[in-house]
Amino acid sequence: MRMSAIRWLSSALALALAVLPAGAETATFPARSGSGAGVTAWWQGKVCPGDAVFVRLALGENAPSGKIGGSLEFEKDGKKVGTAEFYEVPDSSGRGRRMALAGIPLSSYLSAGKGTATARLTAGGAEIQPAMMPIEIVAKEFVKETIQLDAANTAIKTNDSDERWRQISKLNKILGTRTDADVFSLAPMLPPTGATRRTSFFADRRIFAYSNGKSSTSLHYGIDYGIPTGSKVRSCAAGKVVLAEMRITTGWSIVIEHLPGLYSLYYHLSKMDVGVGDMVSAGQQIALSGATGLATGPHLHWEMRLNMEAVSPDFFTGDFTFEEAVRNP
Ligand SMILES: [Zn+2]
């Protein structure tokens, strides 16, 4: 009894250590002589496959005025992994610095190893001193599972109707929309339910076994919480509701925009409490959970998309924008 409890505790601890992102790293990259301005950068030195590389920058006092732009690039083993554009965010420390943020989604299939993020910021069209930051990708195991579908769920999964394809293209258009001014939340996100029982995990490698004997493979894009129909569902952060409707595969569905290119998604709901265009606060009730759409039982599916890619929701419950690091240097 005692030994197994200790073994459980130590394996839970090992899991927590493997999953928790490291604290923020920070460094100042001074201006080269005659080149104008330097930057101070915040980033995470260690992230996992399926997380994201976020970098926050504060411009030096001599930075040119005008619109902030430029790009962040992440490279590993000499290959470009991804890029993203910077957008302006407020300096919540009260020091009045001009600040920028950018985030690159990382595939859950990315291998472990060391990489480099390079920020090439511009202000008023002028280039600022580039900042280069070492980032290590730490290996993470993902679950493999086979899910048996009955005839009704098989029909949903293999639905090839125009209506379903219209729904998919509408959602993709929303998730591909990136509006620089839409900075609604920089705080660490809250889980959308108080329940902690997870019936599926982010990036599970799935095989769907159909009722007709055929099968297909897919990746699970979010976290499933096993909660009874009618449980409260809360927005994980402040934002704007950009989709709230019935969909063939995902049932009653809500999508909320939080930052340029960053969205949270809630599926299989039974009752909707918000509509498109509504502004919501962090923790605000937006719906009741259910089992609508493709579901083998009542559950809440919570998903995060960054620049269209599904990323680990758990990543966003940490200080991913470095808001706390900036406030408490
Ligand atoms: Zn799910």
Side-chain angles (χ1 to χ4, degrees):
M1 186 74 177
R2 176 166 289 234
M3 269 314 289
S4 69
I6 289 168
R7 206 174 298 128
W8 178 86
L9 192 67
S10 63
S11 63
L13 206 64
L15 189 70
L17 288 173
V19 169
L20 283 177
E25 313 260 339
T26 185
T28 295
F29 300 83
R32 284 176 300 210
S33 60
S35 74
V39 291
T40 300
W42 291 263
W43 73 97
Q44 276 183 19
K46 288 180 181 172
V47 290
C48 294
D51 288 348
V53 166
F54 270 82
V55 172
R56 183 154 173 169
L57 299 175
L59 281 74
E61 282 176 11
N62 300 326
S65 57
K67 187 175 159 50
I68 287 177
S71 65
L72 176 68
E73 181 176 317
F74 183 59
E75 183 191 85
K76 183 174 160 287
D77 305 323
K79 282 188 221 128
K80 189 172 22 168
V81 174
T83 61
E85 301 298 306
F86 278 102
Y87 47 89
E88 189 155 4
V89 295
D91 179 0
S92 43
S93 74
R95 292 173 60 190
R97 292 167 294 184
R98 302 185 67 209
M99 291 196 155
L101 185 69
I104 298 169
L106 298 177
S107 163
S108 68
Y109 292 100
L110 192 64
S111 58
K114 291 185 165 69
T116 305
T118 305
R120 292 187 182 84
L121 198 68
T122 61
E127 286 182 15
I128 309 292
Q129 166 76 29
M132 294 177 75
M133 295 144 278
I135 294 178
E136 184 180 351
I137 306 297
V138 180
K140 182 177 175 182
E141 288 290 317
F142 296 97
V143 173
K144 293 183 181 70
E145 64 176 356
T146 299
I147 296 175
Q148 186 67 49
L149 298 185
D150 62 13
N153 276 327
T154 296
I156 292 172
K157 188 75 181 74
T158 56
N159 183 315
D160 198 31
S161 66
D162 289 350
E163 182 56 21
R164 179 159 171 261
W165 286 109
R166 263 197 299 276
Q167 291 175 356
I168 290 169
S169 81
K170 179 180 178 179
L171 179 59
N172 283 337
K173 195 173 168 209
I174 288 171
L175 298 176
T177 303
R178 193 185 167 287
T179 308
D180 273 5
D182 289 355
V183 175
F184 300 127
S185 174
L186 292 168
M189 295 184 173
L190 312 164
T193 166
T196 54
R197 189 173 77 95
R198 297 179 176 194
T199 50
S200 284
F201 304 90
F202 168 73
D204 286 354
R205 278 69 166 133
R206 283 181 161 177
I207 296 170
F208 282 110
Y210 298 161
S211 58
N212 60 12
K214 295 183 178 174
S215 67
S216 67
T217 56
S218 79
L219 193 67
H220 188 233
Y221 280 174
I223 295 168
D224 287 348
Y225 292 96
I227 50 178
T229 292
S231 303
K232 285 175 184 160
V233 176
R234 303 177 186 283
S235 178
C236 62
K240 182 164 86 178
V241 178
V242 291
L243 181 140
E245 64 187 33
M246 174 57 96
R247 303 180 73 247
I248 291 169
T249 312
T250 61
W252 284 106
S253 305
I254 292 176
V255 179
I256 299 175
E257 180 192 19
H258 302 289
L259 284 172
L262 183 66
Y263 296 87
S264 64
L265 301 83
Y266 312 80
Y267 288 164
H268 314 298
L269 308 168
S270 62
K271 179 176 176 285
M272 315 277 276
D273 293 326
V274 292
V276 170
D278 287 355
M279 299 301 298
V280 296
S281 56
Q284 180 180 331
Q285 184 177 325
I286 53 170
L288 296 179
S289 68
T292 54
L294 175 61
T296 56
H299 72 283
L300 170 66
H301 172 103
W302 175 39
E303 179 175 325
M304 294 296 306
R305 294 280 195 111
L306 174 62
N307 302 346
M308 303 215 48
E309 266 203 70
V311 276
S312 172
D314 289 323
F315 174 80
F316 296 92
T317 62
D319 186 23
F320 73 100
T321 69
F322 310 102
E323 185 74 347
E324 291 172 359
V326 163
R327 278 179 208 237
N328 310 301

